Amino acid sequence: MAQATMEAAHITEVTPAEAHDLIETQHPRVIDVRPKDLYQCGHLAEAVDVPLPDLDDETAHDVIGGLDTPVMVYCQVGVHSALAARELEDLGYTHVYDMLGGISAWPYEVSEN
């Protein structure tokens, strides 16, 4: 997995294939930061919907738990998840993964509500 080119030392960018392996082996909390209507159209099976504007300290604590809990974020194409990853790092989370390309690049099955 390649380290992020951002200054964020605790953010790791992962490809969809790496994200799939990460979910299978390390079981991170998976957060979909898209709006609820997009989440309901299709999302990763393990994902919890926390739209980017709703991501704050209290919500993160409720959804993720401890600051050392691995967490992976994704959005539609990767822009908002990068912002979410930085926000989580700023909140003190130490194992943050950002899925490159978002769900648009996810070649695996998705769940619908």
Side-chain angles (χ1 to χ4, degrees):
M1 291 181 220
Q3 277 293 342
T5 56
M6 299 177 273
E7 292 180 17
H10 299 292
I11 299 171
T12 303
E13 293 178 334
V14 294
T15 66
E18 291 169 330
H20 184 268
D21 291 345
L22 183 71
I23 291 168
E24 294 292 317
T25 61
Q26 295 186 31
H27 311 287
R29 295 296 296 167
V30 180
I31 299 178
D32 184 325
V33 298
R34 299 175 301 154
K36 187 167 287 305
D37 61 330
L38 290 177
Y39 174 84
Q40 291 174 340
C41 289
H43 56 85
L44 277 60
E46 302 79 4
V48 176
D49 183 38
V50 180
L52 182 58
D54 298 340
L55 186 60
D56 59 22
D57 188 39
E58 183 178 340
T59 303
H61 178 73
D62 290 347
V63 173
I64 302 166
L67 296 176
D68 60 345
T69 302
V71 58
M72 186 185 77
V73 293
Y74 72 92
C75 60
Q76 191 67 35
V77 295
V79 175
H80 290 122
S81 64
L83 298 173
R86 281 188 231 149
E87 177 67 21
L88 290 170
E89 184 194 40
D90 289 347
L91 292 172
Y93 288 88
T94 58
H95 298 90
V96 179
Y97 299 90
D98 177 16
M99 187 174 80
L100 298 171
I103 199 166
S104 295
W106 184 254
Y108 310 100
E109 188 173 332
V110 296
S111 296
E112 294 182 16
N113 289 37

